[in-house]
Amino acid sequence: MPVERTLSIVKPDGVARNIIGDVYRRFEQAGLRIIAARMLQLSQADAEAFYGVHRERPFYKDLVKFMTSGPVIVQVLEGEGAIAKNRDVMGATDPKKATLGTIRADLATSIDENVVHGSDAADTAAREIAFFFRETEICPRTR
Ligand code: GDP
């Protein structure tokens, strides 16, 4: 399995509910290394651009409103098969459908407030990492 990088976000509900550490522990226990991280407040324009692929979906306005409702933490995760592994750790989009033991099954309150974002494929991971981080801000482990 090749080493990959993926973009993860602890969404405003995760930050507000003080469960950042719980989320990070799950990444680390799954063998995902946090190689870049930053807390920030998304602007309306940032959130609209980041979720531009969903522009035509009925939930787009609510999604942008929620993602700008408070600070988020963005991080780059690295590891073998990191993109799919992170999706496994996150669980299904709808927490009601997520497997027990996943972040969304254990911690999320609804499909709208589902604690985490994770890139879904190699091309989106590359685009989403570049959306938030310069190459010099990414620090792969040397030991
Ligand atoms: P993800 O990759 O699992 O986060 O899901 P998507 O990229 O498809 O959607 C982005 C976010 O939009 C999700 O995390 C949800 O918060 C929200 N979302 C997706 N599908 C729906 C839906 O059918 N209804 C509602 N209310 N929100 C949705």
Side-chain angles (χ1 to χ4, degrees):
M1 187 85 73
V3 172
E4 296 174 338
R5 293 176 181 180
T6 190
L7 191 278
S8 163
I9 305 177
V10 181
K11 293 184 177 183
D13 56 331
V15 174
R17 291 170 54 215
N18 228 16
I19 54 174
I20 298 162
D22 193 336
V23 172
Y24 270 34
R25 177 182 60 77
R26 290 163 188 258
F27 294 152
E28 293 185 333
Q29 284 185 344
L32 293 165
R33 299 179 291 278
I34 297 155
I35 61 167
R38 182 164 85 251
M39 182 177 276
L40 61 106
Q41 168 74 50
L42 283 172
S43 68
Q44 169 104 3
D46 288 340
E48 285 176 354
F50 186 78
Y51 280 114
V53 64
H54 293 311
R55 193 169 289 119
E56 305 302 328
R57 309 287 290 276
F59 55 83
Y60 179 66
K61 260 185 89 171
D62 286 343
L63 177 60
V64 168
K65 193 171 171 198
F66 167 59
M67 290 301 291
T68 57
S69 67
V72 299
I73 300 196
V74 292
Q75 50 275 326
V76 179
L77 306 177
E78 184 180 71
E80 287 184 14
I83 297 166
K85 186 177 282 184
N86 181 44
R87 299 289 304 188
D88 285 347
V89 171
M90 288 164 58
T93 307
D94 183 350
K96 291 201 289 287
K97 296 182 183 152
T99 304
L100 228 64
T102 62
I103 290 171
R104 284 164 165 174
D106 295 355
L107 304 176
T109 53
S110 71
I111 192 168
D112 300 283
E113 305 210 354
N114 59 4
V115 183
V116 277
H117 167 84
S119 310
D120 62 0
D123 56 341
T124 46
R127 182 182 70 78
E128 292 178 358
I129 290 169
F131 189 92
F132 288 110
F133 294 101
R134 290 192 291 266
E135 196 56 39
T136 51
E137 295 173 315
I138 300 173
C139 308
R141 296 295 143 74
T142 53
R143 61 183 195 133

